[in-house]
Amino acid sequence: MTTTRRAFGILAAGAALGTVVPAGPAGAAPHRRLVAHDDFRHGLGQWVTELQDGGTVTASHGVLEVDVPSGATVWFKKRLEGPYLLQYTATAVSEGGPNDRVSDLNNFWNAVDVRSPDDLFATRRGGALAEYDYLKTYYAGYGANYNTTTRLRRYVGEAGVRPLVYDYTEPLLVPNRPNRVHVVSDGSTVQWWNNGRLVFDYTDQEPYTGGHFAFRTTWSHFRISGFRVWRLSPQQP
């Protein structure tokens, strides 16, 4: 593994306390600053939705609810620049609804569309997965393909090209169980954690260090809460 001391300290503390409490070496003071958040109590003002075949995406009473029959991408409007730590909690709903398939807790992050690199939203996309091939981005697919695969991809902005970094058959989604996800973008260090477990740990020699984040899924039903983004600062000697 290539876990940096800073990233490991932050994630270890978060797993232990149920929230992110960045910790430095030898009990040093936290080195982080909250730069973005949404408590999902005031609608979708901070988000852009791209739905392949409709469905519903709502934000109220502390929950972002995504209930869709096919492809859906929910973008955070604000562009994020690293180094940062992003966190949220997502639950795959299994209550007998038509979209309660329990599959595809997916994310794009540090995404840039090569067709409009200065403005992700200047290019129209309709929610089908192939439309995102023109992104340069990291893509985590957790419990995808009917909850049989967990993969990390590094998109390079070319149609039909989705380079695979890691391909696992576990861990996978558990119906109605919260997934406390932490995403670390720290220079060449790219990490995706779930419930304190380091799922993807990738060192990118040509890293994507800034861009947009999105929740991505297909034919599923999720409830998401606690969206936070922390700016990471270099540790002092």
Side-chain angles (χ1 to χ4, degrees):
M1 293 184 181
T2 57
T3 311
T4 63
R5 177 182 299 202
R6 176 170 60 190
F8 183 82
I10 291 166
L11 272 299
L17 301 177
T19 185
V20 174
V21 184
H31 292 271
R32 60 95 176 99
R33 177 170 58 91
L34 185 66
V35 294
H37 73 281
D38 197 336
D39 290 324
F40 301 123
R41 298 184 182 279
H42 305 288
L44 293 169
Q46 296 192 74
W47 303 87
V48 173
T49 60
E50 298 170 350
L51 305 181
Q52 184 176 359
D53 295 302
T56 60
V57 179
T58 60
S60 63
H61 306 292
V63 176
L64 175 67
E65 188 146 5
V66 181
D67 190 354
V68 292
S70 59
T73 304
V74 184
W75 290 105
F76 189 54
K77 287 182 180 180
K78 181 178 179 179
R79 179 185 169 100
L80 302 175
E81 299 293 340
Y84 65 79
L85 166 66
L86 183 150
Q87 70 174 127
Y88 66 88
T89 298
T91 301
V93 177
S94 181
E95 298 176 349
N99 302 319
D100 293 6
R101 187 170 63 110
V102 185
S103 185
D104 289 278
L105 174 57
N106 308 334
N107 294 144
F108 292 117
W109 70 99
N110 292 353
V112 173
D113 194 313
V114 297
R115 297 166 295 183
S116 56
D118 295 327
D119 182 359
L120 181 79
F121 305 111
T123 298
R124 182 178 176 82
R125 293 167 298 269
L129 184 60
E131 298 181 54
Y132 299 89
D133 286 357
Y134 293 98
L135 301 181
K136 288 187 174 182
T137 186
Y138 302 111
Y139 179 72
Y142 188 89
N145 298 307
Y146 287 82
N147 201 25
T148 62
T149 64
T150 289
R151 296 170 172 169
L152 177 68
R153 295 182 185 272
R154 183 185 183 276
Y155 282 43
V156 294
E158 299 178 22
V161 180
R162 304 169 189 167
L164 187 63
V165 179
Y166 298 123
D167 185 2
Y168 304 142
T169 56
E170 64 89 28
L172 300 170
L173 294 165
V174 177
N176 302 315
R177 177 180 293 179
N179 298 274
R180 296 174 178 85
V181 175
H182 297 158
V183 180
V184 175
S185 175
D186 188 357
S188 62
T189 297
V190 180
Q191 297 178 339
W192 198 95
W193 299 65
N194 186 10
N195 290 333
R197 176 175 178 175
L198 182 56
V199 178
F200 302 123
D201 188 13
Y202 175 48
T203 300
D204 190 348
Q205 299 305 318
E206 298 182 17
Y208 302 145
T209 59
H212 287 272
F213 169 85
F215 298 109
R216 167 75 192 176
T217 194
T218 186
W219 185 19
S220 66
H221 183 185
F222 280 93
R223 293 178 181 138
I224 301 166
S225 62
F227 179 79
R228 299 284 186 275
V229 184
W230 306 87
R231 175 74 177 182
L232 304 180
S233 301
Q235 295 284 358
Q236 300 300 315

